[in-house]
Amino acid sequence: MSDGTAVRLEPHEIALLGEGPRAAVTVAVVDLYLRGLVEADRPGTIRKGIADVMSAERPPSPLAQAVHTSLREPAGPRTLVKDPDIRIALALMRIPLAGAGLLRYPLLGPTRAARRQVRELRQSHPLPTNRHGLTDDERLLAVALHGEPALRLLVPRFALRAGLVRRAEVGGKSLLKNSPRGRGGSGGGTTTAVEVAAGADAEAAEADPMRDMREGRPVPTDGPPLCSFVLPRVRPSAS
């Protein structure tokens, strides 16, 4: 058995060692999004995208393929982590990592060598200062190493709509009117004022009923009408 040194890790493996299964699934979802294979659906869920053909030259990881296959209907991150096929893909991921000395038996938690390797990767690959000029591989690595801050920086609109990041809350109540719908939406958490503003701006930019109609998406009927007219009151003339 190896001592876990000098092992080349893929982004989804780094996420699994650093933060656990949900982080690995998040990286897989972002990988699919960058390839155009998934897109955000109703708040807190994702669905298969229009580009539904995987590249044979650069195929996604087996975990990402399992996520894509499981999207028979829109689903949120919590549901994806519980999907049987995705759990099998996660279990198969652990086998070579355990063989490399990065996961310990029998609980398959990260070993000291794994934690050291992830820590060194974070130090050598700090969070980017902006999203411009990065390759898709660099984006995935940043998400694997830095989690939510990288999601908010690199794919902010998709991450918010897909339920990959927490929605802004103030005083325990959601600032945004629409809570995640569909299967397995994301949970909430208290964020800073900057994140509150960013989340509200992204949500406002996405909430476009006319665009949903043009793209054939269902328009919610529980809100105000798209158009409303107020007729002026006409007073009778004095005779």
Side-chain angles (χ1 to χ4, degrees):
M1 179 177 294
S2 169
D3 62 358
T5 60
V7 177
R8 179 176 176 81
L9 298 173
E10 297 296 327
H12 59 285
E13 295 173 325
I14 295 171
L16 179 66
L17 294 174
E19 297 296 335
R22 178 161 178 173
V25 171
T26 295
V27 170
V29 168
V30 174
D31 186 10
L32 294 172
Y33 170 71
L34 295 175
R35 296 169 184 266
L37 294 173
V38 300
E39 59 188 25
D41 195 69
R42 302 313 303 165
T45 65
I46 60 174
R47 65 182 181 186
K48 287 185 177 180
I50 298 176
D52 200 24
V53 179
M54 296 189 183
S55 171
E57 297 180 357
R58 184 175 166 268
S61 67
L63 178 59
Q65 294 181 37
V67 170
H68 188 261
T69 301
S70 73
L71 289 173
R72 302 172 188 88
E73 62 182 25
R78 290 181 179 177
T79 299
L80 291 175
V81 173
K82 299 176 183 177
D83 183 271
D85 292 335
I86 295 176
R87 295 184 67 178
I88 291 175
L90 288 166
L92 293 175
M93 276 178 56
R94 291 185 171 100
I95 295 174
L97 293 174
L102 298 175
L103 291 174
R104 62 178 180 271
Y105 293 100
L107 300 179
L108 296 182
T111 63
R112 182 178 302 175
R115 292 192 296 269
R116 180 177 64 248
Q117 187 164 347
V118 172
R119 183 170 61 251
E120 291 174 352
L121 285 170
R122 287 195 181 113
Q123 293 173 350
S124 60
H125 297 84
L127 182 68
T129 56
N130 60 71
R131 73 188 74 173
H132 304 295
L134 298 177
T135 66
D136 288 350
D137 289 339
E138 290 170 336
R139 290 170 184 252
L140 284 179
L141 180 59
V143 171
L145 291 172
H146 303 287
E148 188 167 314
L151 290 169
R152 293 187 181 277
L153 173 68
L154 302 176
V155 286
R157 184 176 297 181
F158 171 73
L160 180 66
R161 293 199 68 194
L164 301 180
V165 298
R166 297 170 297 171
R167 291 176 178 269
E169 291 189 358
V170 176
K173 295 184 178 180
S174 177
L175 178 68
L176 306 179
K177 295 181 179 179
N178 295 325
S179 59
R181 300 176 184 176
R183 297 193 299 150
S186 66
T190 303
T191 60
T192 65
V194 174
E195 291 172 334
V196 168
D201 290 344
E203 185 74 4
E206 293 291 351
D208 188 343
M210 298 302 296
R211 183 187 59 202
D212 288 345
M213 292 177 64
R214 290 195 301 270
E215 296 180 357
R217 298 178 182 178
V219 178
T221 59
D222 57 351
L226 297 181
C227 299
S228 60
F229 301 91
V230 178
L231 297 177
R233 179 179 298 177
V234 180
R235 295 182 180 180
S237 59
S239 54

